[in-house]
């Protein structure tokens, strides 16, 4: 078993999610919002984020993408596993990611949704990890900037494990 170290505790995460929620609520005041979480990693962050939004009209949907090839070397090949069921055209869309790493997933998703003509398209990610960034993607709301290391917990996995852990952990 690898050693675990808490990088962001559940209390730190809760406080930061609340701050993000306040900013997003201010920015979208009076406008209906479509929140799209990226499965699987963002399922917990999305659930926590929408519950701190102080907005009248919030719709929640999910998308799943799969990237193929060697997991440690990004192949850049991305395919849709599950699309949203909501109409995107004319909507204010907020994409919610757990982590942006190479940027490939988000670049693909941005293209995927932009061509459907949303009224606006913004991105909220809990973690911005720049170490391996290959494609610059604009991030509108960022929870934490992280450097190197393999993070798990709060939705993030290692071979399917650790997603249920309430804190964000580094595996050493
Ligand atoms: C993770 C994460 C992002 C993507 C970021 O998903 O949730 O979607 O990788 O990496 P990138 O910036 O290099 O494209 P992952 O493929 O691990 O699937 P999961 O969400 O099901 O765990």
């Amino acid at each position: 078993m690898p050693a675990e170290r808490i990088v962001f505790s559940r209390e730190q995460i809760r406080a930061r999610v609340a701050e993000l929620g306040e900013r997003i609520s201010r920015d979208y005041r009076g406008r209906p919002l479509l929140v799209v979480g990226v499965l699987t990693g963002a399922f917990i962050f999305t659930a926590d984020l929408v519950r701190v939004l102080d907005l009248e009209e919030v719709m929640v949907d999910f998308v799943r993408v799969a990237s193929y090839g060697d997991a440690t070397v990004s192949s850049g090949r991305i395919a849709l596993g599950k699309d949203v069921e909501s109409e995107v055209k004319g909507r204010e869309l907020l994409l919610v990611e757990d982590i942006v790493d190479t940027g490939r997933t988000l670049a693909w998703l941005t293209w995927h949704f932009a061509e459907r003509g949303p009224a606006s398209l913004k991105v909220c990610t809990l973690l911005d990890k720049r170490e391996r960034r290959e494609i610059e993607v604009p991030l509108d709301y960022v929870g934490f900037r992280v450097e190197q290391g393999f993070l798990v917990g709060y939705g993030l996995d290692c071979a399917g494990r650790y997603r249920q852990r309430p804190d964000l952990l580094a595996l050493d």
Side-chain angles (χ1 to χ4, degrees):
M1 293 283 281
E4 297 173 8
R5 179 170 46 86
I6 293 181
V7 178
F8 299 109
S9 69
R10 64 200 77 182
E11 292 81 13
Q12 285 175 295
I13 297 169
R14 192 182 308 121
R16 189 66 186 127
V17 171
E19 288 173 357
L20 290 173
E22 277 173 32
R23 277 189 50 206
I24 293 167
S25 301
R26 255 200 320 272
D27 292 354
Y28 288 93
R29 174 95 45 234
R31 288 146 64 194
L33 180 63
L34 173 61
V35 174
V36 175
V38 184
L39 295 171
T40 303
F43 80 111
I44 290 177
F45 179 41
T46 305
D48 282 349
L49 185 67
V50 294
R51 285 182 293 174
V52 296
L53 291 180
D54 182 18
L55 292 170
E56 286 285 308
E57 211 178 319
V58 178
M59 304 274 284
V60 184
D61 207 330
F62 289 94
V63 67
R64 182 193 295 281
V65 289
S67 50
Y68 293 102
D70 184 338
T72 58
V73 183
S74 180
S75 67
R77 279 189 295 154
I78 288 170
L80 196 62
K82 178 218 171 301
D83 207 347
V84 293
E85 283 140 48
S86 318
E87 175 69 67
V88 167
K89 192 172 171 54
R91 309 289 297 276
E92 313 265 7
L93 196 159
L94 180 66
L95 265 176
V96 177
E97 265 286 22
D98 52 337
I99 186 165
V100 179
D101 189 1
T102 65
R104 289 190 172 279
T105 304
L106 197 54
W108 191 91
L109 282 168
T110 304
W111 163 79
H112 174 72
F113 286 115
E115 66 167 17
R116 293 189 192 172
S120 69
L121 175 50
K122 286 191 179 183
V123 175
C124 176
T125 184
L126 180 67
L127 301 169
D128 175 14
K129 187 178 178 188
R130 301 202 55 85
E131 183 194 8
R132 302 199 307 160
R133 190 66 41 90
E134 293 171 17
I135 302 179
E136 278 310 318
V137 276
L139 304 176
D140 301 284
Y141 307 98
V142 174
F144 303 104
R145 296 212 156 74
V146 292
E147 302 303 323
Q148 57 220 26
F150 197 82
L151 297 177
V152 296
Y154 198 72
L156 285 80
D157 77 312
C158 176
R161 298 179 57 218
Y162 298 97
R163 287 198 202 276
Q164 83 286 6
R165 298 287 295 274
D167 307 299
L168 268 160
L169 310 165
L171 296 183
D172 296 315

